[in-house]
């Protein structure tokens, strides 16, 4: 799907399933400070977030992973910054039964049904790959 504007929130048709990948392509603007990709449990600003992927350019450039459950944030996990300001990027978030890459599930994968992107970022496309429809 082509993203028209940020902030963006939309459904993941059929929900997120084991083996699926979420592919986000965009550009990190030169004036970027931070943005977030949230895999949510509903299309609501107050819903639980199974994965909060949050690149931050704040002097200690890093990516923060976290989850939001029952109205509270969990403990942050920090990773090396994979982005360069002003350059294009492609993120692939692969969902397995146990974790998203190295971020272990704090909320069951089958609850994820929406994606949200907000902050200082330009996103061209979001694709969901890896799950084939069932044939009955």
């Amino acid at each position: 799907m082509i993203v028209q504007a940020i902030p963006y929130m939309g459904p993941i048709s059929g929900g997120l399933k084991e083996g699926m990948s979420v592919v986000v392509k965009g550009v990190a603007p030169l004036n970027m400070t931070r943005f977030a990709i949230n895999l949510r449990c509903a299309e609501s600003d107050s819903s639980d977030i199974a994965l909060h992927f949050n690149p931050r350019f704040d002097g200690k450039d890093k990516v923060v992973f976290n989850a939001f459950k029952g109205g509270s944030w969990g403990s942050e996990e920090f990773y090396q910054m994979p982005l360069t300001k002003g350059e294009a990027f492609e993120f692939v978030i692969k969902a397995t039964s146990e974790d998203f890459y190295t971020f272990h599930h704090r909320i069951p994968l089958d609850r994820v049904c929406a994606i949200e992107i907000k902050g200082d970022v330009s996103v061209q496309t979001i694709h969901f790959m890896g799950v084939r429809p069932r044939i009955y």
Side-chain angles (χ1 to χ4, degrees):
M1 93 182 59
I2 297 174
V3 177
Q4 300 296 323
I6 300 297
Y8 170 83
M9 188 175 316
I12 298 173
S13 182
L16 193 62
K17 307 282 189 249
E18 181 177 356
M20 268 179 91
S21 293
V22 180
V23 181
V24 179
K25 292 182 182 182
V27 175
L30 289 171
N31 63 343
M32 179 185 144
T33 55
R34 63 175 60 191
F35 74 92
I37 299 173
N38 295 319
L39 298 181
R40 288 190 166 272
C41 298
E43 287 183 69
S44 163
D45 288 333
S46 62
S47 67
D48 288 348
I49 299 171
L51 175 66
H52 174 69
F53 174 83
N54 182 217
R56 299 177 183 175
F57 284 95
D58 58 3
K60 298 179 181 178
D61 300 350
K62 61 189 168 288
V63 176
V64 176
F65 284 72
N66 205 343
F68 184 79
K69 184 177 180 182
S72 298
W73 287 102
S75 58
E76 294 181 326
E77 297 180 19
F78 302 97
Y79 295 89
Q80 183 177 347
M81 175 61 73
L83 297 172
T84 302
K85 287 184 177 185
E87 293 189 7
F89 64 81
E90 177 179 281
F91 289 121
V92 178
I93 302 169
K94 183 165 175 88
T96 69
S97 62
E98 295 179 14
D99 53 45
F100 296 102
Y101 184 55
T102 59
F103 184 77
H104 296 289
H105 291 299
R106 300 177 190 176
I107 295 174
L109 182 62
D110 62 1
R111 289 192 52 213
V112 177
C113 63
I115 185 167
E116 173 187 39
I117 302 176
K118 60 185 182 177
D120 304 324
V121 67
S122 174
V123 173
Q124 284 76 45
T125 61
I126 303 169
H127 294 286
F128 303 100
M129 303 168 59
V131 174
R132 297 182 183 172
R134 288 185 175 176
I135 299 173
Y136 294 95

